[in-house]
Amino acid sequence: MLEQLKQEVYEANMQLPKLGLVTFTWGNVSGIDREQGLFVIKPSGVAYEDLKPSDMVVVNLKGEVVEGDLNPSSDTPTHTVLYNEFPNIGGVVHTHSPWAVSFAAAGMDIPALNTTHADTFYGSVPAARALTKEEIEADYEGNTGKAIVETFKERQLDYEAVPASLVSQHGPFTWGPSAKDAVYNAKVLEVVAEEDYHSLQLTRDNIQLPQYLLDKHYYRKHGKDAYYGQNNAKSHDHSKHAHN
Amino acid sequence: MLEQLKQEVYEANMQLPKLGLVTFTWGNVSGIDREQGLFVIKPSGVAYEDLKPSDMVVVNLKGEVVEGDLNPSSDTPTHTVLYNEFPNIGGVVHTHSPWAVSFAAAGMDIPALNTTHADTFYGSVPAARALTKEEIEADYEGNTGKAIVETFKERQLDYEAVPASLVSQHGPFTWGPSAKDAVYNAKVLEVVAEEDYHSLQLTRDNIQLPQYLLDKHYYRKHGKDAYYGQNNAKSHDHSKHAHN
Amino acid sequence: MLEQLKQEVYEANMQLPKLGLVTFTWGNVSGIDREQGLFVIKPSGVAYEDLKPSDMVVVNLKGEVVEGDLNPSSDTPTHTVLYNEFPNIGGVVHTHSPWAVSFAAAGMDIPALNTTHADTFYGSVPAARALTKEEIEADYEGNTGKAIVETFKERQLDYEAVPASLVSQHGPFTWGPSAKDAVYNAKVLEVVAEEDYHSLQLTRDNIQLPQYLLDKHYYRKHGKDAYYGQNNAKSHDHSKHAHN
Amino acid sequence: MLEQLKQEVYEANMQLPKLGLVTFTWGNVSGIDREQGLFVIKPSGVAYEDLKPSDMVVVNLKGEVVEGDLNPSSDTPTHTVLYNEFPNIGGVVHTHSPWAVSFAAAGMDIPALNTTHADTFYGSVPAARALTKEEIEADYEGNTGKAIVETFKERQLDYEAVPASLVSQHGPFTWGPSAKDAVYNAKVLEVVAEEDYHSLQLTRDNIQLPQYLLDKHYYRKHGKDAYYGQNNAKSHDHSKHAHN
């Protein structure tokens, strides 16, 4: 069942330690088959060195396990909400990558201060508000997803143009057209969090990117007028992660 | 004598350089056999690349060497105090990991600012007070252990729920159900120290986790209602170090 | 066509990930054959692990592709301007190395605060001004090069003695007698950016190097009186990158 | 000539990149044969990957090359001064390790804030004053050594108990009973510089170690009452670099 997707999600999970995004097993990747309405996710509590494609758990859009001997990631309800609310995404990643966590703990957005950011994120990556006591006790992981969605609605953000959110006090979630893209976005987020931290220590000036530079860099890589890479005619082609 | 424990303690010691927790040989791990009242500890001054399981030194709960050709770690009296005062622990680790040392030198607790912290430590990791001149000159390593124990008593901390302490001006000690668990806790402590450092530079707001989020994350992984990993029915199962 | 130069430029590109200067494919190196007035540059959107010498694209000094099946780097117009305006340079590098980007985002020069800097850069590495909306929309990459050149003219900087510039909000460009030298300079810039960041956090004193120390270190390694390395008689010998 | 010493100095030099203390070739190690009054030093401008034991250059205590086809390190006059003025040292190291450089550029001592420091350095590692224009132009490298010696005299420091100095605006020099010990001290200095940087950002309290803790840790590892390691009876035994 969904063998190719399991392989892709397995490979995307294995990228997390290679990219320095996880300590121990603190991260998980899922990918969805939109036609069948099923997604595949890392099992909970399995070390990366022991992980196999066949360990992946198949879950439906109600968050119910459809196939698999292992428990799915405890963050599965968050993934479920994101797949339901963001209909064009194909993959979701959660990590505890340390620079993004540092901003999340501070309850701060990761602002758009440089073109590395603008190449991938069309504006600040928001820090979704902290959950209330009632939300945490009732359905912690589900409400985590809902807080992200609420943040995107309130701020009128396009989840395809800003494929990431922090959850205050917790850490980052990223997404994208595929599991592999979501992992790419998780790495970019960690890199720009590190850069932003240092820029913010260097100066107290307002160094937010102007809108026209954000436009230039974002649309240099996305949409019908994109001209980086080798496939310029294709709109929203995220398969080539490069801009040089 | 205690061959299996020696092997376990040897392996736990060898994890320290792999996890980036030691420079040169600045760290040591011990593990205890509670039935026999004997613990096994790294010898003093032996480089990790030269270490063998048979080099491990066996020590009783008075801190006396029972078996072994080599001197035990000079921190053996600290380990002895911790084993005597914290009856449910099975392993102890001491390192000079640099982020934890930075907080220890500043005499500051490592506060609970994010869920990575709450997954392992049920509240701030305390900085035990600096020792007095008299304590240092009389029995430095033993009094180091006593200062940790005193701190836990004064602050009414549960050593099983907060399995770590800094010693001011010095560095971190961690513990756990086994030597391997104590090493895991030493790594988590270093990671959250790094994250906390950056969060504290980013904002001066009060960003301590609320009690209900601390409860949620800690009890998601510990106790009878834990639901992460693959062994949810088991209370205090630290053998699976994962929460995803 | 230009097979040896392609090989050199290929090898220089491959140094970027080895030196920790790029994440994913965020960097590019070019090298020029001054006699033929043609330069060779990395193709856009090709991952380093897939890159071959034959993938290199040949471009003339109008920025037109002369040979190659792949699109050249989207930063090719910047390289073109630099080769036209800085006639003695043989190679150009652009990266998004994180410490240099942190200064660029802050709009700050990388000041000359230590001898590591002075060994390679004869004074501060300037942050060229941010581009205007009109410049970005008309010819972003070309105007990026022009902003660098303008900065060097206005500040009366010698591009051979200061072989690097930041572009505000964006990142670093470096150059040198060859592609390999330009990569060397890119690494030095990243190292001194990191050192300067920390020095600037440690003190608010004026710690700019005095002119005479800048002179000493720079001319110890450059020009006819240089005395480091094994080829002291040769002026401007950048083939030996060492001063010990 | 001095084949064994060349081998030792070669091996000590090769430790610098392994310990992360050098970028490119920015570092050099020497070791002395006190009976013959000759020291062996890395040649200038030779990459570590190309270095051979036979490349080492033999120099006398006037700083004159006695044997070797290659130019010695351009820092040879600094080494010469240190060997003449500090009669009990057997090896000298110079690097541009980035944390130590950050303090040197700020003109700040590396203070004794934790026991990691006290285990190796009996008090603050001083930042020798910056050289004057006249000193730099007359004999830069020789006067660098003299500034270090002057600093130790003025502050009444024991060069055996504090085997390191920064040179303001420049970087660290360390020394020790052998070339290998001097490399060990160079690594410790870099580690404590990093730790101190972070502690100084965390608090503005006075966190200097008290004298009695400095005494305890330093003499736990040095002198006739040392009790760490496996050779406790031996005074000043630096061959075992461990305290656990």
Side-chain angles (χ1 to χ4, degrees):
Chain A
M1 191 175 185
L2 298 171
E3 299 307 315
Q4 190 184 336
L5 184 60
K6 283 180 189 169
Q7 181 67 31
E8 287 171 18
V9 171
Y10 164 77
E11 289 174 7
N13 271 289
M14 296 307 287
Q15 283 298 307
L16 296 184
K18 283 191 191 160
L19 291 169
L21 294 172
V22 295
T23 300
F24 296 117
T25 58
W26 306 343
N28 47 73
V29 183
S30 69
I32 195 167
D33 181 319
R34 285 282 176 191
E35 291 195 8
Q36 299 196 44
L38 298 174
F39 68 90
V40 163
I41 192 165
K42 182 175 179 288
S44 184
V46 176
Y48 286 101
E49 57 268 33
D50 300 330
L51 201 63
K52 299 186 300 293
S54 59
D55 291 337
M56 299 297 124
V57 184
V58 181
V59 181
N60 68 22
L61 283 171
K62 295 177 189 166
E64 298 161 343
V65 172
V66 172
E67 189 205 58
D69 297 328
L70 298 168
N71 296 334
S73 165
S74 58
D75 297 311
T76 297
T78 315
H79 292 243
T80 307
V81 170
L82 294 175
Y83 284 123
N84 280 303
E85 297 289 335
F86 294 166
N88 293 340
I89 65 177
V92 172
V93 172
H94 173 50
T95 76
H96 287 217
S97 64
W99 288 101
V101 165
S102 296
F103 276 82
M108 289 172 64
D109 292 0
I110 297 180
L113 305 183
N114 62 51
T115 59
T116 312
H117 186 112
D119 282 326
T120 297
F121 302 113
Y122 187 58
S124 294
V125 172
R129 67 168 172 76
L131 272 62
T132 65
K133 185 171 188 294
E134 291 66 32
E135 289 172 326
I136 286 171
E137 291 175 355
D139 177 14
Y140 175 56
E141 292 84 3
N143 284 325
T144 295
K146 288 177 186 166
I148 293 171
V149 172
E150 177 193 307
T151 297
F152 274 67
K153 285 188 181 158
E154 284 183 0
R155 297 206 200 175
Q156 300 185 306
L157 298 174
D158 174 354
Y159 69 84
E160 293 184 90
V162 181
S165 183
L166 302 179
V167 176
S168 289
Q169 299 169 337
H170 185 33
F173 285 82
T174 62
W175 48 83
S178 70
K180 185 182 176 183
D181 292 309
V183 170
Y184 177 85
N185 293 339
K187 179 64 179 180
V188 178
L189 188 67
E190 184 67 2
V191 168
V192 296
E194 179 179 354
E195 292 168 349
D196 284 2
Y197 173 88
H198 292 123
S199 295
L200 293 170
Q201 301 288 316
L202 281 171
T203 183
R204 291 177 181 241
D205 291 352
N206 176 7
I207 54 173
Q208 293 277 341
L209 285 195
Q211 185 62 39
Y212 48 86
L213 184 56
L214 201 54
D215 285 341
K216 180 67 191 180
H217 264 266
Y218 187 73
Y219 290 113
R220 191 163 88 147
K221 295 188 69 182
H222 300 86
K224 66 177 171 55
D225 296 325
Y227 59 92
Y228 76 95
Q230 302 299 330
N231 297 288
N232 300 341
K234 293 174 68 179
S235 147
H236 273 282
D237 173 15
H238 292 261
S239 68
K240 296 286 179 184
H241 296 305
H243 71 190
N244 53 319
Chain B
M1 193 175 186
L2 298 171
E3 297 308 315
Q4 191 185 335
L5 184 60
K6 282 181 189 169
Q7 180 67 31
E8 288 172 18
V9 171
Y10 163 77
E11 289 174 7
N13 271 289
M14 296 306 287
Q15 283 297 307
L16 295 184
K18 283 190 191 161
L19 291 169
L21 295 173
V22 294
T23 301
F24 296 118
T25 58
W26 306 342
N28 47 73
V29 182
S30 68
I32 194 166
D33 181 318
R34 284 283 176 190
E35 291 195 8
Q36 298 196 44
L38 298 174
F39 67 91
V40 161
I41 193 165
K42 181 175 180 289
S44 184
V46 176
Y48 285 101
E49 58 267 34
D50 301 330
L51 200 64
K52 301 186 299 294
S54 60
D55 291 337
M56 299 297 124
V57 183
V58 181
V59 181
N60 68 22
L61 283 170
K62 294 177 190 168
E64 298 162 342
V65 172
V66 172
E67 188 206 60
D69 298 327
L70 298 168
N71 296 334
S73 164
S74 58
D75 297 312
T76 297
T78 316
H79 291 243
T80 306
V81 169
L82 295 175
Y83 283 123
N84 280 303
E85 298 288 335
F86 294 166
N88 293 341
I89 66 176
V92 172
V93 172
H94 173 51
T95 76
H96 286 217
S97 63
W99 289 102
V101 165
S102 297
F103 276 82
M108 288 172 66
D109 291 2
I110 297 179
L113 305 183
N114 62 51
T115 60
T116 313
H117 185 113
D119 282 327
T120 297
F121 302 112
Y122 188 56
S124 295
V125 172
R129 67 169 172 76
L131 271 61
T132 65
K133 184 170 189 292
E134 290 67 33
E135 288 171 328
I136 287 171
E137 291 175 354
D139 176 15
Y140 174 56
E141 292 84 3
N143 284 325
T144 295
K146 288 177 186 166
I148 294 171
V149 172
E150 177 192 307
T151 298
F152 274 66
K153 285 188 181 158
E154 283 182 1
R155 297 207 200 175
Q156 300 186 307
L157 298 174
D158 174 354
Y159 69 84
E160 292 184 271
V162 181
S165 183
L166 301 179
V167 176
S168 288
Q169 301 169 335
H170 185 33
F173 285 82
T174 62
W175 48 83
S178 70
K180 185 181 175 183
D181 292 309
V183 170
Y184 177 85
N185 293 340
K187 179 65 179 179
V188 178
L189 187 68
E190 184 67 0
V191 169
V192 297
E194 178 179 354
E195 293 169 348
D196 285 1
Y197 173 88
H198 292 123
S199 295
L200 293 171
Q201 302 287 316
L202 282 170
T203 182
R204 292 178 180 241
D205 291 352
N206 176 7
I207 54 172
Q208 294 276 341
L209 284 195
Q211 185 62 39
Y212 48 85
L213 185 55
L214 200 55
D215 285 341
K216 180 66 190 182
H217 265 266
Y218 188 73
Y219 290 113
R220 190 163 91 147
K221 295 188 69 183
H222 299 86
K224 66 178 170 52
D225 296 325
Y227 60 92
Y228 77 95
Q230 302 300 329
N231 297 287
N232 301 341
K234 294 171 69 181
S235 147
H236 271 282
D237 173 14
H238 292 261
S239 69
K240 296 285 177 184
H241 295 304
H243 71 189
N244 53 321
Chain C
M1 190 174 185
L2 298 171
E3 297 308 315
Q4 191 184 337
L5 184 60
K6 282 181 189 170
Q7 180 66 32
E8 288 171 18
V9 170
Y10 164 76
E11 289 175 6
N13 271 289
M14 295 306 286
Q15 283 298 307
L16 295 184
K18 283 191 191 162
L19 291 169
L21 295 173
V22 294
T23 300
F24 297 118
T25 59
W26 306 342
N28 47 73
V29 183
S30 69
I32 195 166
D33 180 319
R34 284 282 175 191
E35 291 195 7
Q36 299 196 43
L38 298 173
F39 68 91
V40 162
I41 192 165
K42 182 174 179 290
S44 183
V46 176
Y48 285 102
E49 57 268 33
D50 301 330
L51 201 63
K52 300 185 300 294
S54 59
D55 291 338
M56 299 296 124
V57 184
V58 180
V59 181
N60 68 21
L61 283 171
K62 295 177 190 167
E64 299 162 342
V65 172
V66 172
E67 188 206 57
D69 298 328
L70 299 168
N71 296 334
S73 165
S74 58
D75 296 313
T76 297
T78 316
H79 291 243
T80 306
V81 169
L82 294 176
Y83 283 123
N84 279 304
E85 297 289 334
F86 294 165
N88 293 339
I89 65 177
V92 172
V93 172
H94 173 51
T95 76
H96 287 217
S97 63
W99 288 101
V101 165
S102 296
F103 276 82
M108 287 172 64
D109 292 1
I110 297 180
L113 305 182
N114 61 51
T115 58
T116 312
H117 186 113
D119 282 326
T120 297
F121 301 113
Y122 188 58
S124 294
V125 172
R129 65 170 171 78
L131 271 61
T132 65
K133 185 171 188 296
E134 291 66 33
E135 288 171 328
I136 287 170
E137 291 175 354
D139 176 15
Y140 175 56
E141 292 83 2
N143 284 325
T144 295
K146 288 178 187 165
I148 293 171
V149 172
E150 176 191 308
T151 298
F152 274 67
K153 284 188 182 156
E154 283 182 2
R155 297 206 199 175
Q156 300 186 307
L157 298 174
D158 174 354
Y159 69 85
E160 291 184 272
V162 182
S165 183
L166 302 179
V167 176
S168 288
Q169 301 170 334
H170 185 33
F173 285 82
T174 62
W175 48 82
S178 71
K180 185 181 176 184
D181 291 309
V183 170
Y184 178 85
N185 293 339
K187 179 65 179 179
V188 178
L189 188 67
E190 184 68 359
V191 169
V192 297
E194 179 179 355
E195 292 168 349
D196 284 1
Y197 173 88
H198 292 123
S199 294
L200 292 171
Q201 300 289 315
L202 282 170
T203 184
R204 292 177 180 241
D205 291 352
N206 176 7
I207 55 172
Q208 294 276 343
L209 285 195
Q211 186 62 40
Y212 47 85
L213 184 55
L214 202 54
D215 285 341
K216 180 66 191 181
H217 264 266
Y218 188 74
Y219 290 114
R220 191 164 89 147
K221 294 188 71 183
H222 300 86
K224 67 177 171 51
D225 296 326
Y227 60 92
Y228 76 95
Q230 303 299 331
N231 296 288
N232 300 340
K234 293 173 67 180
S235 147
H236 272 282
D237 174 15
H238 291 260
S239 68
K240 295 286 180 185
H241 295 304
H243 70 188
N244 54 319
Chain D
M1 192 174 184
L2 298 171
E3 297 309 314
Q4 191 184 336
L5 184 60
K6 282 181 189 169
Q7 180 67 32
E8 288 172 18
V9 170
Y10 163 77
E11 289 174 6
N13 271 289
M14 295 307 285
Q15 282 299 306
L16 295 184
K18 283 191 191 161
L19 291 169
L21 295 173
V22 294
T23 300
F24 296 117
T25 58
W26 306 342
N28 47 72
V29 183
S30 69
I32 194 166
D33 181 319
R34 284 285 176 190
E35 290 195 8
Q36 299 196 41
L38 298 174
F39 68 89
V40 162
I41 192 164
K42 181 174 180 290
S44 184
V46 176
Y48 285 102
E49 58 267 33
D50 300 330
L51 201 64
K52 301 185 299 295
S54 60
D55 290 337
M56 299 296 124
V57 183
V58 181
V59 181
N60 68 22
L61 283 171
K62 294 177 191 168
E64 299 162 343
V65 172
V66 171
E67 188 206 59
D69 297 328
L70 298 168
N71 296 335
S73 164
S74 58
D75 297 312
T76 297
T78 316
H79 291 243
T80 306
V81 169
L82 295 176
Y83 283 123
N84 280 304
E85 297 289 333
F86 294 165
N88 293 340
I89 66 177
V92 172
V93 172
H94 173 51
T95 77
H96 287 218
S97 63
W99 289 101
V101 164
S102 297
F103 276 82
M108 288 171 65
D109 292 1
I110 297 179
L113 305 183
N114 62 51
T115 59
T116 312
H117 185 113
D119 282 327
T120 297
F121 302 113
Y122 188 58
S124 294
V125 171
R129 66 169 173 77
L131 271 62
T132 65
K133 185 171 189 291
E134 290 67 33
E135 287 171 328
I136 287 171
E137 291 175 354
D139 176 15
Y140 175 56
E141 292 83 2
N143 284 326
T144 295
K146 288 176 187 166
I148 294 171
V149 172
E150 176 192 307
T151 297
F152 274 67
K153 285 188 181 156
E154 282 182 2
R155 296 206 200 175
Q156 300 186 307
L157 298 173
D158 174 353
Y159 70 84
E160 292 184 270
V162 182
S165 184
L166 302 178
V167 176
S168 289
Q169 301 169 335
H170 185 34
F173 285 81
T174 62
W175 48 83
S178 71
K180 185 181 176 183
D181 292 308
V183 169
Y184 178 85
N185 293 340
K187 179 66 178 178
V188 178
L189 187 67
E190 184 67 1
V191 168
V192 297
E194 178 179 354
E195 292 169 348
D196 285 0
Y197 173 88
H198 292 123
S199 295
L200 292 171
Q201 301 287 317
L202 282 170
T203 184
R204 293 180 179 238
D205 291 351
N206 176 8
I207 54 172
Q208 294 276 342
L209 286 195
Q211 185 63 38
Y212 48 86
L213 184 55
L214 201 55
D215 285 342
K216 181 65 191 182
H217 265 266
Y218 188 74
Y219 291 114
R220 190 164 91 147
K221 294 189 70 182
H222 300 86
K224 67 179 171 50
D225 296 326
Y227 60 93
Y228 76 95
Q230 302 299 331
N231 297 289
N232 301 340
K234 292 173 68 180
S235 148
H236 272 280
D237 174 15
H238 292 261
S239 68
K240 296 285 178 186
H241 294 305
H243 72 186
N244 53 322

